[in-house]
Amino acid sequence: MATEKQDYQSYEEIHIITHRRPKTHRRYCLALILGLVSGAALLLRFCGSKPTTLLGSIWPTTVRHGEFNLYKHLGHRSPYFVPSNTPETLLSGTPPGCTVSKAFLVHRHGSRHPHAGELTIIQNLSYYINNNSALFSDPQSQLPDVWSFLAEGWNSTLGVDDLTASGRKQLFDHGVALRLHYPDLYTEADVLAGEEDRVVESARWFMDGYYGRDSNATATLSVVGENDDTVSWITPHYTCEKWDEGFGADKLSKWRSVYLPPIAKRINDTLAKAYPGVDFTSEHVHGMLYACAYETAAYGIGSSSWCNVFLPEEILDNEYESDLQMRGFAGYGLPGEMGTVLGSLLVSNMTGFLEKDGGPKLSLGFGHDKTIALGLTALGLASDKSYPSTGPADPDREWQAGKLMPFGASMFWKRLDCGDERRIQLIMDGANFGLGETGCKIDKYGSCTFEDFRKTAAVKAALKVTHDNKRWKKVCR
């Protein structure tokens, strides 16, 4: 039976750490402030707390926005972080008296450079700034601090699609974490990875963290084609003729027409005195938001000046765009039962692996945000009654891509042996995720008995789906 030293939560968790001063130090600072009013600003800076990452670097945006952490609100472009349990009332970890006997890991690739279409929007922003270099290099009045970088000019240095240094580190660290926390699950088995370079590279970095430098000799990496001819639970949408990456584009367009123009107006008004005639468009603002997310993905948290120019509510509106996008082409926004049917291949592979006695204890699969999104949809998890394309965004909505499928996301299914009872548990990105929405009765840790899980309508329906059977053809042909 597999044991765990602690739960699957040591992935490079992104938190704000506030260094608290000793009480005597605070009393001393307070006395000085009271006695030296003229030096209050300096002393407050000395006595105040400085938000830092675990690596000790300062987060400029976090300082300016207080408790708001924008890096957790970049949608599916967010750097990996461990969210709260779903629901938050769940206890973390594995139920007492249970051991983890098998596990099925579905892992998204790590942080990447933008897709070609996204990069074009970023470059259009760069072209506007550089084509108006005389304007931006000579501000007519004092620039707000967060915009001072414009006077030096700005160019995009991002590539296309490839895994970034942050992405490599995410996957290596996750491999190490799994090996340390579940040593009894160690297995020399096939590792599956979708054919995209960033997915294959992610799998290899994870393998190096999990198996060590001789990972290629220890385990076999099987690359699964991502095309119209290869049936795969990693990318089932490619063999569904009716699936289109443009699904949901109309809703995205509606939401962008709602939230982007007011941001462009605010920015132009803010810069009008320093830059008379400045005219950032909604598309430019879109490029700024992309630049924030992808410079963070490429160069690390705190690296992008663009992240600092937005208000928290503007970041949240952009997050909703990401959620609409993922929901539209890989979730509940797909037409009819398409999302449910496509995600069924993941559910049936996972269920079949976990319920089988003997064989490897661990299955390792690497894919995309869509892989995870479709799996959730097939089980009825993270569903919402309403998801309006013109807003307002419900802050308590279940489908939030940043919490479910950020860069380096993981869907970790555990089979628990609890005496005479067998249970199943889902850990999403290091946090317990209750399975109650499937229809089974959960315990305080979000798990339910394997028998009840298998009897739910969602799982029973998923297990009956095979590629090109009657139900598949109904939604895909």
Side-chain angles (χ1 to χ4, degrees), residues 60-200:
T61 305
T62 303
V63 173
R64 191 167 65 87
H65 291 161
E67 294 300 317
F68 180 74
N69 181 353
L70 73 84
Y71 300 104
K72 293 184 179 182
H73 296 281
L74 298 178
H76 62 290
R77 303 174 187 91
S78 299
Y80 179 86
F81 69 95
V82 178
S84 56
N85 291 334
T86 302
E88 292 187 8
T89 52
L90 290 182
L91 299 178
S92 298
T94 299
C98 298
T99 56
V100 184
S101 58
K102 298 191 80 170
F104 187 94
L105 175 68
V106 183
H107 212 300
R108 186 191 178 191
H109 60 76
S111 293
R112 60 164 172 82
H113 286 276
H115 293 318
E118 297 168 326
L119 182 60
T120 296
I121 296 174
I122 296 171
Q123 288 175 333
N124 287 340
L125 169 66
S126 179
Y127 296 152
Y128 176 74
I129 293 171
N130 287 290
N131 288 340
N132 292 277
S133 58
L135 170 69
F136 289 110
S137 63
D138 186 24
Q140 302 302 298
S141 65
Q142 182 68 37
L143 278 169
D145 286 345
V146 296
W147 288 100
S148 60
F149 72 97
L150 271 186
E152 303 299 323
W154 177 81
N155 285 290
S156 169
T157 56
L158 297 167
V160 178
D161 282 340
D162 290 340
L163 200 67
T164 66
S166 296
R168 294 193 289 271
K169 185 177 186 301
Q170 287 160 358
L171 271 293
F172 182 86
D173 288 351
H174 292 189
V176 172
L178 179 61
R179 182 66 183 273
L180 292 177
H181 293 174
Y182 298 92
D184 293 343
L185 287 179
Y186 180 81
T187 184
E188 299 177 9
D190 284 352
V191 180
L192 300 179
E195 195 175 20
E196 287 280 358
D197 286 348
R198 61 185 178 276
V199 179
V200 175

Side-chain angles (χ1 to χ4, degrees), residues 184-468:
D184 293 343
L185 287 179
Y186 180 81
T187 184
E188 299 177 9
D190 284 352
V191 180
L192 300 179
E195 195 175 20
E196 287 280 358
D197 286 348
R198 61 185 178 276
V199 179
V200 175
E201 187 179 355
S202 291
R204 291 195 180 281
W205 281 105
F206 186 98
M207 291 168 65
D208 286 349
Y210 186 75
Y211 292 108
R213 63 182 298 180
D214 296 326
S215 60
N216 288 339
T218 306
T220 302
L221 176 60
S222 299
V223 178
V224 182
E226 297 190 6
N227 51 56
D228 297 346
D229 300 319
T230 304
V231 179
S232 166
W233 61 263
I234 294 175
T235 51
H237 48 287
Y238 285 133
T239 52
C240 179
E241 294 173 9
K242 287 186 179 179
W243 181 84
D244 193 301
E245 194 159 5
F247 279 138
D250 55 336
K251 294 185 177 181
L252 282 179
S253 179
K254 288 180 181 178
W255 179 237
R256 287 168 183 160
S257 70
V258 170
Y259 90 94
L260 288 175
I263 302 178
K265 183 180 186 305
R266 182 190 66 80
I267 288 174
N268 288 328
D269 289 346
T270 299
L271 297 176
K273 289 184 179 180
Y275 296 133
V278 66
D279 187 22
F280 283 120
T281 66
S282 292
E283 184 176 341
H284 292 146
V285 172
H286 210 206
M288 296 173 193
L289 288 160
Y290 276 155
C292 165
Y294 285 116
E295 286 184 338
T296 298
Y299 311 121
I301 288 173
S303 64
S304 178
S305 298
W306 291 110
C307 293
N308 292 328
V309 307
F310 295 103
L311 303 176
E313 56 267 27
E314 295 168 346
I315 292 294
L316 294 177
D317 283 343
N318 177 248
E319 178 184 33
Y320 192 55
E321 178 191 325
S322 168
D323 298 344
L324 278 168
Q325 180 179 5
M326 290 306 308
R327 193 176 186 274
F329 69 17
Y332 295 103
L334 286 169
E337 292 186 302
M338 185 177 288
T340 302
V341 169
L342 295 181
S344 293
L345 298 189
L346 185 156
V347 176
S348 58
N349 274 271
M350 176 273 293
T351 305
F353 177 83
L354 292 183
E355 68 184 354
K356 182 181 179 181
D357 293 322
K361 297 178 181 179
L362 181 64
S363 173
L364 300 173
F366 297 83
H368 302 268
D369 44 14
K370 288 189 277 295
T371 309
I372 294 174
L374 290 169
L376 292 168
T377 304
L379 290 170
L381 299 174
S383 63
D384 297 275
K385 293 181 179 179
S386 176
Y387 223 87
S389 57
T390 55
D394 180 0
D396 298 320
R397 62 192 180 278
E398 297 293 329
W399 187 276
Q400 295 189 49
K403 293 182 178 180
L404 300 172
M405 57 210 79
F407 287 132
S410 60
M411 175 184 263
F412 191 59
W413 292 92
K414 302 193 292 189
R415 187 181 93 177
L416 309 177
D417 289 347
C418 313
D420 296 332
E421 186 178 66
R422 180 172 292 175
R423 303 185 71 83
I424 184 170
Q425 185 181 35
L426 173 59
I427 306 297
M428 285 292 299
D429 303 321
N432 287 33
F433 196 101
L435 294 173
E437 285 183 293
T438 65
C440 62
K441 183 179 180 181
I442 63 173
D443 61 11
K444 295 179 181 180
Y445 297 82
S447 76
C448 57
T449 68
F450 211 109
E451 182 180 6
D452 285 350
F453 176 76
R454 220 180 178 288
K455 288 180 179 179
T456 63
V459 175
K460 286 169 66 177
L463 296 180
K464 291 179 181 178
V465 173
T466 58
H467 183 267
D468 244 12

Side-chain angles (χ1 to χ4, degrees), residues 17-28:
I17 297 178
T18 300
H19 296 297
R20 298 188 181 278
R21 308 292 183 183
K23 290 182 178 179
T24 53
H25 179 80
R26 289 199 299 267
R27 286 197 296 266
Y28 173 70

